[in-house]
Structures are given as structure tokens and as C-alpha cells.
Amino acid sequence: MSGGSVHETVLSWSAGRETVIGVRADESVLGAAERADLALPFGCRTGACATCTGRVVDGWIEHTRPPRALKDRHLAAGYVLLCIAEPRSDCRIEVGSDVRTELVSNPWK
């Protein structure tokens, strides 16, 4: 593990399951989940699709590049793309396919 801070990140699924992982400041949430042997949905790993969408309910996340799959209103609502999202504080993030479904369930949203 390289130097730098590690942020405690709570991953929360809709069924009530929660798992806490440590995410380095230079590591994506998806990468840290994989390192912890947690399976999260993903697609492109570049922020171009929305397969790995999560929603930050507490904490601060920054994207390493523009999240092309999210609109400004999605970002304002707390949605993030876990493949390019790096924590800047301890976080709580809703994850799983249900979060992506919320995002795309209404095409007029």
C-alpha cells in the first residue's frame, strides 16, 4: 500500500447489507472494493457508462476525470461513478444495481 491517507468507506446495499472498506486517497472506490474481494457492478472503468453508479450520502468524493455518464443534476444529487471516484474524506455510499436503476428508471429525469 502506498503512502497517503486511507478513508473509511461504508458501502451500503438496498437490502440492508453494509461493508466497511479502506480506500486510499489515490485509489478508486471500485478498485478498493475489488481489493477487498467485494463484487460491485462495473462496465467501462473510464466514467463513460453508468454501470458502477453509487450515491454518496455522507462524505466527499472527487472524480479523477469528468464523469461523462452523469449529468450535472445527477452529480448534485450525490451520484458518483465508482470506477473514477476517489474519496477525500470518510464516506458512506449506496451501491449496487438498485442505485443505477434509480438513475435511469425515468428517461425524462
Side-chain angles (χ1 to χ4, degrees), residues 26 54 65 74 79 83 98 107:
D26 64 345
R65 63 176 72 182
H74 299 143
Y79 291 102
C83 68
D98 291 346

Side-chain angles (χ1 to χ4, degrees), residues 42-95:
F42 68 91
C44 68
R45 293 185 181 270
T46 64
C49 75
T51 305
C52 66
T53 300
R55 192 170 76 82
V56 177
V57 293
D58 190 28
W60 178 27
I61 291 280
E62 286 186 347
H63 288 107
T64 57
R65 63 176 72 182
R68 292 180 288 162
L70 298 178
K71 297 177 179 176
D72 288 343
R73 65 178 169 269
H74 299 143
L75 296 168
Y79 291 102
V80 294
L81 299 179
L82 301 176
C83 68
I84 59 169
E86 294 179 353
R88 299 297 179 250
S89 71
D90 292 348
C91 297
R92 175 176 289 276
I93 305 171
E94 295 174 341
V95 297

Side-chain angles (χ1 to χ4, degrees), residues 21 23 27-36 38-43 45 52 81-85:
I21 60 172
V23 185
E27 179 179 42
S28 72
V29 175
L30 179 63
E34 289 176 330
R35 188 168 44 77
L38 291 173
L40 294 177
F42 68 91
R45 293 185 181 270
C52 66
L81 299 179
L82 301 176
C83 68
I84 59 169

